Amino acid sequence: MEGEQIILNDIERLKYEKLLKLQENGKDPFKIEKFDQTHHSKEIKDNFEDFDGKEVSVAGRMMSFRSFGKATFIDIQDKDGRIQSYVRKDQLGEELYKEFKEFDIGDIVGVTGIVFKTQKDEISIKASSIQLLSKSLRILPEKYHGLKDMDLRYRQRYVDLIVNPEVKEAFLTRNKAIKALRDFLEQREFIEVETPILNTIAGGAAARPFITHHNTLDIDMYLRIANELYLKRLIVGGFEKVYEMGRMFRNEGMDMKHNPEYTAMELYQAYADYEDIMKLTEEAVAYMAEAATGSTLIEYQGKQIDLKPPWRRLSMTDAIKQYANIDFDTIKTDEEAVELAKEHAVEIIPEMTRGHVISAIFEKYCEEKLIEPTFITHHPVEISPLSKRNPDDPRITNRFEAFVNTWEIANAFSELNDPIDQRARFMAQLRQRELGDEEAQMLDEDFLNAIEVGMPPTGGLGIGIDRVIMLLTNSASIRDVILFPTMKPMAKKMAENQDLSSQDDKSCNESITDLKKIDLSKVKVEPLFEDMVDFEKFSESDFRVVKVKNCEEVPKSNKLLKFTLDDGTEKDRIILSGIKNYYSAEELIGKTLLAITNLPERKIMGEPSQGMLLSAIYEYNGEEALNLIMLDRNIPAGAKIY
């Protein structure tokens, strides 16, 4: 197009030539504004007896083209599925049939005709007219190989939805579940509201915010990390049941459970406590499952999980006692707790208290055990700056987190409405920020003013919608349930059907990171080993090509990335590698790597690791440098290295 060079292969060039010819003949498909679509594929196929012999008009993308001279069969894909159309020269007329024969797979067409069954008993439409509604100028991935590159599928979701129709089912299920949640809350007289996305203070949660700038006001602003403080203001103002469902934004890591922007639902109910909210939570999630899947019994990655209430209740310290065999009833002081943390290799933070240690021990030893739906209650006050203290033990709060499949899917508490205590908690958070905790909360004077006006006893809840949808759709990654997940920008690529062999001589690292020329005088490598290794012993190591299906950060680790790999077998291989300081998890998805696959399985931070990925390590300018060994993407998974 004008001012821009478009790289085309032969087939795409032919598509453009066809479009130009149509435009020259006054038949530009892009000038068509409307097609009178009367029915969809599923409706016709499910009710054939009602449609047999009747005229219908359908529209959609042409997904196959099987020509037999004077007759052609095409498949049209609409929002509900596919239906076959039988196109005959004697029905259309010679001129229109000639035009039709120039259509391409991927074109959008409209067909009018009579519904019938072929000799092979396939419900079809005998076309009396056919119209090109939009010209496809790119090549769709072919039927049998489809669009398999996960990285490309997320970037080009529009193509993913076309060639992998099952993907759409996950988003239809998502729609049903969200609609069900709204229905559930409406039945209980909750009012849906909207609160600001742009905030002058990032509050309501412990998270690192995105920062932007308002030019007119000349102030920095934050994309909201939570809507909690605004919703509580509404409770102060006299609303008794409010909720909001929408996007939250957190400038943090990305992995299979985390996307920088995600959907959350927060609600607040006056005159309710965390016990009331606990009951509401389990009922809401079960209601969503029933509406979206037809059952509260779901299967997630080979595990059956029943979301039917009631869910198990377990305090945080009881969970630690059960799963880590540590009794915090016997640990009274902060000093004793910190010593315990050191014994269990828990990271020590400035001004660490008994409450911080309880939280860290729970995360390390207990979360991975919580497969069935479980409410973990009574969190330490140090990690719960907005929740009400337990009257019997002021060291803990009346708070719960809901866990399913080891994931936290909800967080709730009896809301703190004591403005004096709230100010003290905010000041403690400010001290944590001063000590370097970027996720500690900011001081919100207007919110303090609101609860000084007076807030009734209130129960609050936040549900991570995307994680619930992952469970309901059996999706391995959060990206599978977000239509357009956040991705690292890439330079323009040729279409996936083009020959990429001309790029094979480029470094694989150039595709994901900007390499700079290095000063070889600053490079230092380890001396070569002098001891020789017996060839037979060396040959026992099984070096295999592996493809990265997913990569995520290991929680609470500063170094580890967890790789889910295709090693050429039908079973996923998990390998942990300490390269987080050199690569982000997101940029490695879809890459082709080299691994040793016959090492004994070992656990690292509680995670099983089944082999080792190979990297090149050297010293540069006095610091360690590392390059993960990446291979040509055309080498198949499982290929053996000799």
Side-chain angles (χ1 to χ4, degrees), residues 37 39-44 58-61 63 76-83 168:
Q37 184 184 28
H39 300 88
H40 290 90
S41 58
K42 188 176 187 300
E43 180 186 7
I44 296 169
V58 299
R61 192 176 299 276
M63 298 301 292
I76 299 170
Q77 182 170 293
D78 62 17
K79 72 179 185 69
D80 292 335
R82 292 190 185 189
I83 192 166
K168 186 185 290 185

Side-chain angles (χ1 to χ4, degrees), residues 299-517:
E299 181 168 323
Y300 187 79
Q301 306 295 301
K303 300 187 289 284
Q304 281 204 332
I305 301 172
D306 195 348
L307 300 173
K308 183 179 180 180
W311 296 0
R312 183 170 65 141
R313 274 83 164 151
L314 193 64
S315 74
M316 184 171 282
T317 52
D318 283 345
I320 292 171
K321 191 181 299 183
Q322 179 176 334
Y323 295 119
N325 198 28
I326 298 172
D327 186 357
F328 270 92
D329 290 339
T330 64
I331 299 170
K332 305 297 184 182
T333 68
D334 294 341
E335 292 75 18
E336 289 176 308
V338 170
E339 285 304 312
L340 180 72
K342 292 176 181 177
E343 292 173 14
H344 289 82
V346 169
E347 183 180 358
I348 307 300
I349 62 173
E351 297 190 9
M352 197 170 198
T353 66
R354 177 177 178 274
H356 291 123
V357 175
I358 288 173
S359 176
I361 293 288
F362 170 78
E363 290 177 355
K364 182 171 183 178
Y365 291 103
C366 303
E367 287 187 357
E368 65 180 23
K369 308 292 186 182
L370 304 176
I371 305 297
E372 290 297 322
T374 304
F375 289 118
I376 296 296
T377 64
H378 297 129
H379 296 54
V381 69
E382 294 93 331
I383 62 167
S384 311
L386 296 167
S387 53
K388 189 168 282 192
R389 294 177 190 265
N390 182 280
D392 298 323
D393 185 350
R395 297 176 301 175
I396 60 176
T397 58
N398 284 348
R399 173 186 174 188
F400 72 80
E401 289 177 304
F403 284 85
V404 181
N405 190 51
T406 76
W407 308 341
E408 176 205 335
I409 65 164
N411 183 30
F413 30 84
S414 295
E415 301 295 333
L416 178 60
N417 61 346
D418 177 347
I420 300 170
D421 192 0
Q422 183 64 83
R423 181 176 291 277
R425 306 255 198 113
F426 274 151
M427 298 310 294
Q429 288 287 298
L430 285 180
R431 285 194 295 275
Q432 289 296 317
R433 288 185 72 85
E434 291 169 359
L435 292 169
D437 185 352
E438 295 180 348
E439 296 185 354
Q441 296 199 33
M442 301 178 183
L443 176 64
D444 189 333
E445 286 287 359
D446 184 73
F447 173 69
L448 286 171
N449 183 69
I451 59 174
E452 284 171 350
V453 170
M455 186 174 82
T458 300
L461 166 68
I463 295 180
I465 298 297
D466 301 311
R467 291 188 186 177
V468 175
I469 304 302
M470 285 175 66
L471 292 168
L472 299 185
T473 57
N474 195 17
S475 298
S477 170
I478 194 171
R479 294 178 178 181
D480 295 327
V481 298
I482 297 176
L483 280 167
F484 299 102
T486 305
M487 303 290 289
K488 184 177 181 178
M490 294 179 66
K492 290 183 179 179
K493 289 184 176 182
M494 292 186 293
E496 64 277 1
N497 287 45
Q498 285 186 258
D499 181 11
L500 299 177
S501 60
S502 62
Q503 300 182 14
D504 288 349
D505 58 341
K506 294 183 179 179
S507 167
C508 293
N509 284 339
E510 290 180 359
S511 66
I512 60 171
T513 186
D514 295 326
L515 292 181
K516 298 178 181 179
K517 289 185 177 180

Side-chain angles (χ1 to χ4, degrees), residues 79-92:
K79 72 179 185 69
D80 292 335
R82 292 190 185 189
I83 192 166
Q84 178 175 270
S85 181
Y86 178 48
V87 186
R88 288 179 58 90
K89 182 178 181 180
D90 59 4
Q91 289 284 326
L92 294 187

Side-chain angles (χ1 to χ4, degrees), residues 4-9 12-13 138 493-495 498:
E4 183 178 358
Q5 182 181 5
I6 298 178
I7 301 174
L8 305 173
N9 64 21
E12 289 170 336
R13 188 174 293 108
R138 290 292 184 181
K493 289 184 176 182
M494 292 186 293
Q498 285 186 258

Side-chain angles (χ1 to χ4, degrees), residues 138-156:
R138 290 292 184 181
I139 305 169
L140 294 178
E142 53 91 8
K143 177 179 177 181
Y144 292 101
H145 292 93
L147 187 65
K148 302 299 184 185
D149 186 323
M150 292 305 296
D151 186 80
L152 192 60
R153 285 178 61 181
Y154 298 139
R155 293 179 188 281
Q156 298 184 6

